[in-house]
């Protein structure tokens, strides 16, 4: 493409009627005449709809005919229409950052419908400001960052394995790091899985085999990630231990380190009485086929939904019901009571499972936080006293075994992961996603993704879905081979930088680092990571940081134009 | 690239809700070509209907809109909205899919989504996006932030008539449109719609000759619609002085209009709406032209006309009365002071009989007579009055004379009844009032007795060969002379233009003295001077003058803005129904006769000038309006109002569905959730008790861009409720209905209770529940916050029934509080039901896709533990609510998961 001469601004102004949206309130012909007189404006015209095919071709024609090197459209909102007009400029051979958008609809004609005269004047003001900025616009390029075709998966449980396999099947080299000597994670301790009652081992075993035999997956057992530096496309990973073996580069990272189950020491005799155990411990007993006694009582929400731990851990109600179901199934004469608060059997399968458990004879007793069950017995629990909320009286239940249903709690490693990857933790200590609703498997930091119970307690099917989701996010850059960084980003005038480091602290994307330069330390902005939010520029006490496309000069020119 | 290769690189996503959008974006970011099919006109799905979303209370639209825009502008995503999957063949890696893109009847390449069309559409349909709590039009934008932002016409069947009325009308009034609105009782909208092409609806609705009625297709079945009578209804039933004045950007152009008759007023109206500065110069003391001084009060009350002219003045038009051009202002000054001139002076000159005695006092011309009466002058007509002529003016003169006290009024007309130009109705009305008509008679001379007019000698005529006018020439019969005693003779023979000043302007005139113009544009031979109305055509009808004024206004606007004068397109001739169509109509629509308009009794009405016709009552109006054939169908009636308003010319009524064939490697089903029909749960009174609504309806009430702009008003009386009850599990966890838990309602209700409080602080909410299922991140804390900060109380219990307090329409909930075991009553001002949700996939679509559904209608997953997002057909995956009940974060996660699963399934081994 031929390079345009940009030294002398030749600005074209296109004012949109937007049907009557603008045209009925702003005197568009008048505005066009006004624009024509502004310095450096060599062409101004109006369009019924600048975004229509006619409008777009008018822009392209204008660029060629008048040899425009800056284009200003005064119409609606950049949120919906900027890409369109930028593309039109590009197609006509003009760098898209030489385009300036002025909103005379949402911010002018719509809010000043009752005062058309003033709306017209305001439109002129806005365009005058836009022209002042357009004059100073510079062409910008989005830089492309190469992405290494490999990924790191931290955590070798079912979720981590699924994520690793998904990416490996797409052809990427995967480094799977597991701190335990074996793959399989928490599931190794689990007996059977809801809602199908399949044995957990039947799920893990084939997975482990697939992982081990996959040529693209390299598994590191009994290993931990020690250090990660770099950014999306090119993370440098160091594992514990020495040797080249333990150093590698990856394009993206998936965190799947799971969670721990709470040990309710001191509650309901746990740790003191011999026949009190957690659901996780029960799983082990059931797996080993140990006898469980005739009367089993389970208490839900032990350590969950209480003032000191307010959250609901999502999977425990089902875990209790599943184990109760399995006990009744294998020993129909056994009596199983579940003392619960709200029962979280959401959706189709869980509600169904709950109903089947009732049909099988599992007894459900609702208790309240205000009147929790009491344990009767000395070295052993013998009876449970509980206020039956629906019967409105206290009852006593015989108890051979008391099972406490405890929540998942954040894994200990979360702290280290948070520091090492510069990702945040939420108020509970779980890893914090970029956006609770719309970016649940991403971190705010590009190139690092999260799945499974490390983010929030999840069951197997949800965990696997999340594994695929995180893999999909991680695969995007890997498959494309590059990522495009924002062209509107910050840049540092190193001569003026005093190295105070305010910017480094404030940057929400960890894009800024102080680096040595000629004997002093100066701020350095990593373009690949910078999102152009402008926080650093606003905060810099020396005025050393500017934003491309929003330079001080450009903004001040607009302000001056407003008051001229 | 080979075909199969092509297939491997592309994916079809069915459903454009948040799950479908997310899956598409992830696939597109992985380099796949994505076809996103959505059956409604916009992507966005259920999330777009929500006000805010739990547990962060982000505005749903604010976080969804950027995603929608990202999807629509992503170079790897092709949106196929308003489309449905018709057929799926082949298998994983090489599916062949047939898509049907439904006809939107709007060319989306041209539509800019401006919505001008919507405002004009007269067809009102419950808005499904607003859950029916508000209406939309037949042409509509799915919702304000729709992506793509394109309009759609809801056209369901062919209109049974040809709208011949519109083609016959000189201003193409949107007859079916305003009649439809009258049938709906929308008087203001009807008035505004008529006013689009006629600035004097109420006046014209009384005096129009109604060429529309003559051609009305209903007339081919039973009787034509009383279109003119319906036209006055909006003005009768609604105060036209309440019509708001639009704000218009002013230009600096000045236009002088000479003559404040219908042509001048119409031109002034249109030019003022285009922002030009208009001054009307009127020679008479009152504006209105013939409507004011030619048509008697008993046909058109002056107050009505005054109001309609008053509105034109409110638009900024200055009317200077008593100004005669050429005398009070020179033509030279006129040319200097104005950028354009429109001459519309009408024909106010009377014509001479050319017989002996015509100058005797007591012989007067009809136009002058009517003008004098209209302007309040006293005229003594005596006992015996003869009116000469056969036009409407003659009838008006005769009926006026009767009202002035004449005992005998005789109309003398030289041809027979068949040739009489006056309208049939007028003639009949006059005869009812006792006016005699002597046909085939013409006066020969007038004579005096005692220096006063006393006799009129007449001669009988016979009809000969047709003359230049095409009517048979009357020939006097010799020897048939006879004499009639008269006190007054009114000669209503015709009208002539008075155009002396026009010559000064240099405008060329015809031999008849009328102005010559370019009939397409209204331009005269002098640049910047235009003319129209009777002064061009000779005496004609009001509506023709209005048409001429509008035509001239278009040309003048073009002239003032430096555009070439385009002129009018040739008109389509009114069409008749074919014989088959008549038969079809007769079968479909039972015969119904027209509703006659009531009139004042003859005896009374000849005593005064009060309006004779009473106008329709609202009931009569609805009855008559609902006879219109065009209004018999559902959806668009093709009245062309949108077409007239659409500036980019995007309306295409002839559009057909389009078949699209795609080759894709995999398919993701994300068709979302539907709402379970809870009409069988009669105990809660939904649909019967006004103040019982569903949670989704609540959402549309509180949504900022919803029909009430976010104001929660209860349906019965519009009051802001301060005590709201929410009932959970309505149809969910219920064996009679849906046994499963819908998963999102507990949080949804809590959110709505919070919103109620935010909208109206202090509002108390009570939520009746079974189990509070709050299992996601920050959900428990959300509920705690609701209790603590938002005045929300949770009561465990499933209400048994809802009754209504007849005094205040409050619903009364009867329930057992399970914790205390007591049966209690709870009176709320509004009840919100957590309606069960269902997967939105029909068995038919499942069949087309070749996938199985489970017994609840969710997509069947063969092994949830091994491949949780697979369906029963390899290569087809599912996510979101159609897969299993889940909230937004879970749906979004699943969507990304389905994208990941798709990538490994069809692009493995890369």
């Amino acid at each position: 493409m031929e390079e345009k001469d940009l030294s002398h601004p030749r600005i074209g102004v296109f004012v949109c009627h937007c049907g009557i949206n603008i045209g009925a309130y702003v005197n568009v012909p008048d505005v066009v005449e006004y624009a024509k007189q502004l310095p450096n404006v060599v062409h101004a015209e109006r369009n019924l709809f600048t975004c229509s095919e006619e409008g777009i071709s008018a822009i392209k024609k204008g660029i060629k005919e008048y040899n425009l090197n800056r284009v200003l459209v005064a119409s609606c909102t950049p949120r919906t229409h900027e890409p369109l007009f930028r593309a039109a400029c590009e197609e006509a051979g003009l760098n898209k950052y030489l385009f300036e958008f002025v909103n005379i609809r949402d911010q002018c004609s719509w809010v000043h419908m009752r005062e058309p005269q003033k709306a017209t004047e305001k439109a002129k003001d806005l365009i005058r400001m836009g022209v002042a900025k357009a004059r100073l616009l510079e062409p910008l390029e989005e830089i492309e960052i190469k992405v290494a075709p490999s990924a790191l998966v931290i955590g070798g449980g079912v979720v981590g394995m699924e994520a690793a396999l998904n990416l490996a099947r797409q052809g990427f080299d995967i480094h799977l790091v597991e701190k335990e000597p074996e793959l399989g994670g928490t599931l190794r301790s689990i007996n059977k899985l809801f809602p199908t009652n399949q044995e957990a081992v039947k799920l893990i075993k084939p997975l482990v085999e697939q992982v081990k035999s996959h040529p693209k997956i390299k598994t590191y057992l009994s290993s931990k990630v020690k250090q990660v530096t770099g950014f999306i496309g090119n993370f440098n990973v160091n594992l514990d231990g020495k040797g080249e073996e333990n150093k590698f580069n990856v394009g993206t990272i998936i965190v799947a380190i799971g969670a721990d189950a709470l040990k309710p020491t001191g509650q309901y005799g746990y740790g003191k009485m011999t026949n009190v155990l957690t659901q996780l411990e029960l799983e082990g007993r059931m797996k080993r086929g140990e006898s469980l006694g005739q009367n089993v009582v389970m208490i839900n929400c032990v350590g969950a939904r209480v003032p000191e731990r307010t959250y609901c851990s999502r999977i425990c109600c089902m875990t209790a019901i599943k184990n109760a179901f399995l006990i009744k199934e294998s020993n129909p004469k056994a009596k199983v009571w579940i003392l619960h608060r709200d029962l979280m059997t959401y959706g189709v399968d869980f509600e169904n499972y709950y109903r089947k458990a009732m049909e099988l004879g599992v007894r459900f007793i609702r208790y309240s936080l205000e009147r929790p069950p009491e344990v009767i017995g000395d070295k052993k629990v013998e009876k449970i006293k509980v206020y039956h909320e629906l019967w409105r009286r206290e009852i006593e239940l015989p108890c051979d075994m008391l099972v406490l249903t405890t929540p998942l709690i954040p894994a200990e490693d979360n702290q280290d992961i948070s520091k090492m990857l510069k990702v945040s933790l939420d108020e509970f200590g779980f890893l914090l996603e970029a956006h609770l609703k719309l970016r649940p498997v991403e971190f705010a930091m590009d190139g690092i993704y999260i799945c499974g119970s490390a983010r929030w307690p999840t069951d197997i099917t949800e965990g696997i879905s999340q594994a695929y989701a995180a893999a999909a996010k991680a695969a995007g850059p890997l498959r494309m081979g590059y990522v495009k960084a924002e062209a509107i980003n910050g840049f540092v005038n190193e001569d003026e930088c005093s190295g105070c480091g305010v910017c480094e602290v404030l940057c929400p994307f960890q894009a800024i680092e102080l680096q040595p330069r000629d004997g002093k330390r100066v701020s350095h902005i990593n373009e690949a990571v910078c999102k152009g939010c402008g926080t650093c520029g606003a905060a810099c006490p020396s005025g050393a940081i500017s934003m491309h496309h929003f330079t001080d000069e450009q903004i001040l020119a607009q302000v001056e134009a407003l008051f001229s | 690239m080979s075909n199969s290769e092509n297939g491997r690189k592309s994916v079809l996503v069915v459903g454009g809700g948040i799950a479908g959008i997310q899956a598409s974006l992830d696939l597109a970011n992985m380099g796949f070509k994505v076809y996103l099919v959505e059956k409604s006109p916009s992507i966005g799905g259920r999330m777009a209907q929500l006000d805010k979303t739990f547990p962060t209370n982000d505005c749903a639209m604010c976080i969804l809109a950027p995603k929608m825009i990202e999807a629509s502008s992503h170079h790897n995503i092709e949106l196929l909205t308003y489309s449905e999957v018709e057929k799926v063949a082949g298998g994983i890696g090489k599916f062949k899919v047939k898509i049907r893109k439904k006809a939107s009847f709007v060319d989306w390449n041209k539509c800019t989504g401006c919505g001008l069309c919507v405002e004009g559409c007269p067809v009102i349909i419950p808005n499904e996006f607003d859950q029916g709590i508000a209406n939309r039009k037949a042409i509509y934008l799915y919702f304000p932030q729709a992506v793509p932002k394109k309009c759609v016409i809801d056209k369901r069947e062919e209109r049974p008539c040809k709208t011949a009325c519109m083609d016959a009308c000189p201003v193409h009034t949107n007859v079916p449109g305003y009649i439809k609105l009258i049938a709906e009782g929308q008087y203001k909208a009807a008035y505004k719609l008529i006013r689009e092409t006629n600035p004097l609806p109420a006046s014209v609705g009384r005096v129009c000759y109604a060429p529309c009625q003559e051609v009305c297709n209903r007339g081919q079945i039973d009787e034509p619609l009383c279109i003119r009578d319906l036209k006055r209804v909006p003005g009768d039933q609604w105060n036209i002085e309440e019509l708001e004045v639009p704000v218009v950007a002013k230009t600096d152009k000045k236009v002088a209009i000479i003559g404040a008759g219908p042509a001048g007023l119409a031109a002034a109206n249109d030019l003022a709406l285009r922002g030009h500065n208009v001054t009307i110069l009127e020679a008479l003391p009152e504006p209105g032209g013939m409507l004011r001084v030619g048509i008697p009060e008993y046909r058109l009350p002056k107050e009505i006309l005054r109001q309609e002219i008053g509105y034109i003045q409110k638009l900024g038009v200055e009317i200077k009365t008593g100004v005669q051009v050429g005398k009070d202002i020179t033509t030279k000054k006129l040319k200097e002071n104005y950028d354009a001139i429109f001459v519309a002076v009408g024909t106010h000159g009377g014509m001479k009989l050319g017989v002996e005695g015509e100058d005797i006092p007591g012989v007067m011309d009809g136009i002058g007579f009517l003008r004098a009466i209209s302007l309040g002058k006293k005229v003594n007509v005596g006992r015996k009055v003869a009116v000469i002529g056969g036009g409407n003016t003659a009838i008006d003169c005769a009926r006026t004379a009767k009202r002035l006290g004449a005992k005998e009024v005789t109309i003398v007309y030289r041809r027979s009844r068949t040739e009489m130009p006056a309208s049939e109705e007028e003639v009949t009305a006059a005869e009812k009032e006792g006016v005699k008509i002597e046909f085939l008679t013409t006066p020969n001379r007038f004579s005096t007795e005692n220096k006063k007019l006393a006799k009129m000698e007449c001669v009988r005529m016979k009809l000969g060969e047709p003359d230049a006018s095409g009517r048979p020439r009357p020939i006097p019969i010799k020897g048939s002379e006879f004499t009639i005693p008269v006190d007054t003779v009114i000669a209503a023979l015709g009208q002539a233009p008075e155009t002396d000043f026009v010559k000064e302007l240099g405008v060329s005139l015809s031999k008849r003295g009328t102005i010559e113009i370019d009939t397409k544009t209204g331009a005269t031979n002098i640049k910047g001077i235009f003319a129209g109305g009777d002064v061009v055509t000779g005496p004609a009808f009001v509506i023709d003058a209005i048409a001429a004024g509008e035509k001239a206004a278009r040309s003048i606007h073009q002239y003032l803005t430096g555009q070439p004068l385009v002129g009018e397109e040739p008109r389509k001739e009114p069409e008749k129904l074919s014989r088959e169509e008549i038969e079809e109509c007769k079968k479909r629509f039972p015969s119904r006769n027209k509703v006659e308009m009531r009139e004042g009794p003859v005896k009374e009405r000849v005593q005064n000038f009060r309006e004779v016709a009473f106008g329709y009552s609202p009931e009569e109006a609805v009855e008559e309006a609902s006879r219109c054939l065009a209004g018999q169908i559902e959806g668009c009636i093709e009245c062309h109002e949108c077409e007239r308003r659409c500036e980019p010319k995007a309306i295409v009524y002839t559009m057909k569905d389009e078949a699209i064939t795609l080759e894709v490697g995999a398919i993701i089903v994300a068709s979302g959730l539907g709402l379970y029909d809870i009409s069988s749960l009669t105990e809660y009174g939904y649909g019967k008790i006004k103040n019982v609504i569903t949670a989704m309806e609540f959402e549309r009430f509180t949504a900022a861009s919803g029909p009430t702009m976010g104001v929660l008003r209860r349906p019965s009386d519009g009051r802001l409720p301060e005590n709201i009850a929410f009932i959970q599990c309505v149809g969910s966890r219920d064996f009679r209905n849906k046994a499963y838990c819908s998963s999102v309602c507990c949080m949804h209700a809590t959110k709505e209770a919070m919103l109620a409080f935010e909208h109206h602080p202090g509002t108390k909410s009570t939520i009746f529940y079974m189990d509070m299922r709050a299992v996601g991140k920050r959900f428990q804390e959300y509920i705690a916050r609701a209790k603590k900060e938002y005045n929300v109380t949770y009561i465990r219990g499933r209400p048994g029934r809802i009754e209504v307090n007849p005094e205040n329409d409050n619903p009364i909930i009867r329930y057992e509080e399970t914790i205390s075991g007591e049966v209690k009553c709870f009176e709320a001002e509004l009840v919100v039901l957590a309606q069960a949700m269902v997967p939105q996939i029909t068995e038919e679509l499942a069949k087309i896709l070749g996938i199985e559904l489970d017994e609840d209608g969710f997509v069947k997953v063969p092994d949830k533990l091994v491949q949780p997002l697979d369906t029963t057909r390899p290569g087809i995956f599912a996510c979101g609510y159609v897969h299993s009940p889940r909230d937004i974060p879970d749906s979004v996660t699943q969507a990304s998961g389905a994208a990941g699963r798709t990538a490994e399934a069809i692009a493995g081994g890369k």
Side-chain angles (χ1 to χ4, degrees), chain B residues 458-493:
Chain B
C458 298
V459 61
R460 296 285 184 195
M461 314 289 271
K462 63 177 183 190
L463 296 177
E465 291 300 303
D467 63 9
S469 74
R471 295 175 299 179
R473 180 193 300 277
I475 305 161
I477 304 170
K478 274 193 186 147
S480 67
E481 290 81 1
F482 66 100
T483 302
I484 303 176
V486 290
D487 296 322
T488 301
V489 170
I490 304 167
L493 296 175

Side-chain angles (χ1 to χ4, degrees), chain A residues 262 264 267 300-306 308-311 405-407:
Chain A
L262 175 75
Q267 293 198 64
N300 281 5
C301 291
V302 176
R305 302 175 66 209
V306 290
E308 59 274 23
R309 194 177 291 100
T310 52
Y311 67 85
T405 314
T406 60

Side-chain angles (χ1 to χ4, degrees), chain B residues 735-811:
Chain B
F735 283 112
R736 298 169 304 159
N737 296 285
K738 296 292 172 191
Y740 59 82
C741 159
S742 292
S743 285
V744 300
C745 329
C746 287
M747 290 298 290
H748 193 190
T750 301
K751 178 201 70 181
E752 290 188 341
M754 282 187 173
L755 291 180
F757 187 94
E758 274 181 5
H759 284 240
H760 195 42
T763 300
K764 176 176 165 256
S765 291
T766 308
I767 299 180
F768 292 87
Y769 73 102
M770 302 282 291
D771 288 286
M772 254 299 127
R773 293 188 169 161
V775 298
K777 199 180 239 187
R778 299 194 182 123
F779 287 11
Q780 287 291 327
E781 296 70 22
Y782 191 76
I783 285 174
R785 197 148 59 93
K787 289 180 189 167
K788 205 174 150 203
E789 297 169 28
Y790 290 89
N791 212 359
V792 183
T793 308
Y794 294 84
I795 294 181
R796 190 171 185 280
R798 188 173 216 159
R801 62 183 297 109
I802 299 179
E803 284 148 9
V804 69
N805 181 344
E807 274 171 35
N808 51 16
D809 282 331
N810 282 353

Side-chain angles (χ1 to χ4, degrees), chain A residues 117-378:
Chain A
Q117 207 60 48
K118 287 184 184 169
T120 302
E121 289 314 307
K122 181 168 171 182
K124 288 179 188 173
D125 289 345
L126 291 168
I127 289 173
R128 185 173 69 245
M129 291 167 71
V131 166
K133 180 179 175 186
R135 211 174 283 140
L136 301 171
L137 288 177
E138 295 286 340
L140 300 173
E141 296 301 332
E142 290 159 353
I143 52 166
E144 275 187 10
I145 304 158
K146 273 195 74 143
V147 175
S150 58
L152 164 68
V153 178
I154 311 176
V158 62
V159 173
M161 288 193 288
E162 290 279 10
L165 280 168
N166 181 289
L167 289 174
R169 286 179 190 134
Q170 294 185 56
F172 304 110
D173 292 315
I174 306 303
H175 302 274
L176 176 62
V177 180
E178 169 57 47
K179 66 175 179 179
E180 299 291 331
E182 261 182 81
L183 291 172
T186 309
L187 235 54
R188 286 189 299 130
S189 327
I190 302 290
N191 174 32
K192 288 183 178 177
L193 303 169
F194 60 81
T196 56
N197 292 349
Q198 187 195 314
E199 281 173 51
V201 66
K202 286 197 176 152
L203 179 70
I204 323 170
K205 227 179 152 187
L207 272 181
V208 172
E209 274 160 22
Q210 285 173 53
V211 167
K212 282 186 174 161
S213 63
H214 202 292
K216 288 278 187 185
I217 302 180
K218 188 160 184 204
T219 307
Y220 306 81
L221 295 173
S222 306
S223 301
K224 273 190 147 185
V225 179
K226 196 171 83 184
Q227 193 192 30
V228 174
T229 57
F231 47 87
I232 184 168
N234 191 20
F235 289 106
N236 308 306
V237 182
N238 265 314
L239 302 185
D240 266 345
K242 285 184 183 134
E244 278 311 298
E245 270 275 288
N246 294 328
K247 278 187 187 164
F248 49 83
N249 278 16
V250 293
T252 51
I253 298 173
I254 292 177
V255 179
I257 59 171
D260 296 336
L262 175 75
K263 279 197 185 287
T265 309
Q267 293 198 64
Y268 300 106
Y270 183 82
K272 276 191 260 166
M273 294 173 159
T274 49
N275 59 344
V276 182
L277 62 167
T278 64
Q279 293 285 357
L280 191 61
E281 287 156 354
L282 173 66
E283 298 270 357
R285 285 208 191 179
M286 292 173 77
K287 219 173 145 182
R288 293 188 294 273
E290 292 171 20
S291 92
L292 305 169
Q294 276 308 108
N295 299 308
V296 181
V297 178
M298 298 182 178
I299 302 176
N300 281 5
C301 291
V302 176
R305 302 175 66 209
V306 290
E308 59 274 23
R309 194 177 291 100
T310 52
Y311 67 85
C312 160
S313 125
R314 190 177 179 107
I315 61 166
C316 347
C317 280
M318 272 310 290
T319 304
I321 297 172
K322 174 197 71 182
N323 286 336
F325 185 101
L326 293 172
I327 292 168
K328 277 299 275 188
E329 200 182 43
S330 63
N331 177 12
K333 283 188 183 152
K335 286 193 171 159
V336 187
W337 291 273
I338 297 180
L339 314 186
H340 64 90
R341 288 162 65 198
D342 289 304
L343 261 184
M344 306 302 189
T345 54
Y346 56 96
V348 180
D349 297 334
F350 298 174
E351 185 74 7
N352 246 329
Y353 199 107
Y354 166 40
R355 204 173 301 115
K356 280 190 185 141
M358 277 197 285
E359 281 164 12
L360 209 59
V362 177
R363 305 283 166 80
F364 289 85
I365 296 174
R366 199 177 169 91
Y367 78 91
S368 74
L369 186 59
E370 292 74 34
R371 297 180 78 166
E374 282 171 46
V375 172
I376 299 171
D378 200 6

Side-chain angles (χ1 to χ4, degrees), chain A residues 253-551:
Chain A
I253 298 173
I254 292 177
V255 179
I257 59 171
D260 296 336
L262 175 75
K263 279 197 185 287
T265 309
Q267 293 198 64
Y268 300 106
Y270 183 82
K272 276 191 260 166
M273 294 173 159
T274 49
N275 59 344
V276 182
L277 62 167
T278 64
Q279 293 285 357
L280 191 61
E281 287 156 354
L282 173 66
E283 298 270 357
R285 285 208 191 179
M286 292 173 77
K287 219 173 145 182
R288 293 188 294 273
E290 292 171 20
S291 92
L292 305 169
Q294 276 308 108
N295 299 308
V296 181
V297 178
M298 298 182 178
I299 302 176
N300 281 5
C301 291
V302 176
R305 302 175 66 209
V306 290
E308 59 274 23
R309 194 177 291 100
T310 52
Y311 67 85
C312 160
S313 125
R314 190 177 179 107
I315 61 166
C316 347
C317 280
M318 272 310 290
T319 304
I321 297 172
K322 174 197 71 182
N323 286 336
F325 185 101
L326 293 172
I327 292 168
K328 277 299 275 188
E329 200 182 43
S330 63
N331 177 12
K333 283 188 183 152
K335 286 193 171 159
V336 187
W337 291 273
I338 297 180
L339 314 186
H340 64 90
R341 288 162 65 198
D342 289 304
L343 261 184
M344 306 302 189
T345 54
Y346 56 96
V348 180
D349 297 334
F350 298 174
E351 185 74 7
N352 246 329
Y353 199 107
Y354 166 40
R355 204 173 301 115
K356 280 190 185 141
M358 277 197 285
E359 281 164 12
L360 209 59
V362 177
R363 305 283 166 80
F364 289 85
I365 296 174
R366 199 177 169 91
Y367 78 91
S368 74
L369 186 59
E370 292 74 34
R371 297 180 78 166
E374 282 171 46
V375 172
I376 299 171
D378 200 6
K379 287 189 175 138
K380 241 180 109 189
V381 178
E382 277 154 18
K383 279 178 188 170
I384 298 290
K385 201 159 91 178
V386 61
Y387 179 80
H388 194 306
E389 253 201 343
L390 305 185
W391 291 359
R392 290 169 290 284
R393 62 184 162 87
E394 210 156 65
I395 54 168
E396 280 186 7
L397 305 170
C399 179
D400 301 324
M401 185 171 69
L402 175 63
V403 187
L404 304 181
T405 314
T406 60
L408 288 183
I409 55 170
E412 269 178 47
D413 292 343
N414 281 9
Q415 295 284 351
D416 297 341
I417 288 284
S418 163
K419 275 182 209 140
M420 187 171 64
L421 299 177
K422 296 176 198 154
V423 296
S424 305
L425 298 176
D426 63 24
E427 63 273 34
F428 313 104
F430 291 104
L431 291 164
L432 180 66
E433 62 288 279
H435 188 281
L436 185 52
K437 276 193 286 286
L438 297 185
R439 295 176 67 194
V441 298
E442 294 165 74
F443 284 113
M445 179 96 161
D446 280 353
I448 312 182
Y449 312 95
I450 167 83
C451 49
S453 294
R455 186 195 79 91
W456 193 249
T458 40
D459 68 32
I460 302 304
T461 57
E462 287 168 349
I464 296 173
S465 302
Q466 287 182 16
Y468 287 151
K473 301 286 180 188
L478 299 180
R479 292 176 68 101
M480 300 312 287
Y482 66 91
V483 284
K484 270 196 174 178
E486 185 56 66
I488 300 175
N489 52 21
F491 61 98
V492 181
N493 181 339
E494 292 182 354
D495 294 339
E496 284 175 21
C497 176
S498 67
C500 70
V502 166
C503 50
E504 186 183 18
V505 177
L506 289 176
C507 176
F509 304 100
Q510 281 80 40
I512 303 182
E513 200 177 40
L514 290 186
Q515 290 180 351
R517 215 46 115 250
D518 308 329
K520 64 172 185 173
R521 276 156 58 81
V522 295
S523 172
H524 172 79
I525 298 176
N526 186 338
E527 312 186 284
V529 184
C530 176
K531 298 274 181 209
C533 72
T535 306
C536 55
C540 178
S542 325
I545 301 182
S546 288
M547 306 304 300
H548 285 297
H549 209 65
F550 292 93
T551 64

Side-chain angles (χ1 to χ4, degrees), chain B residues 835-855:
Chain B
Q835 180 179 18
M837 296 172 193
V838 293
Q840 184 158 278
I841 183 166
T842 57
E843 277 177 26
E844 195 194 343
L845 178 56
K847 218 174 190 179
I848 289 170
L849 293 166
I851 60 174
E852 289 174 38
L853 304 180
D854 69 17
E855 53 203 26

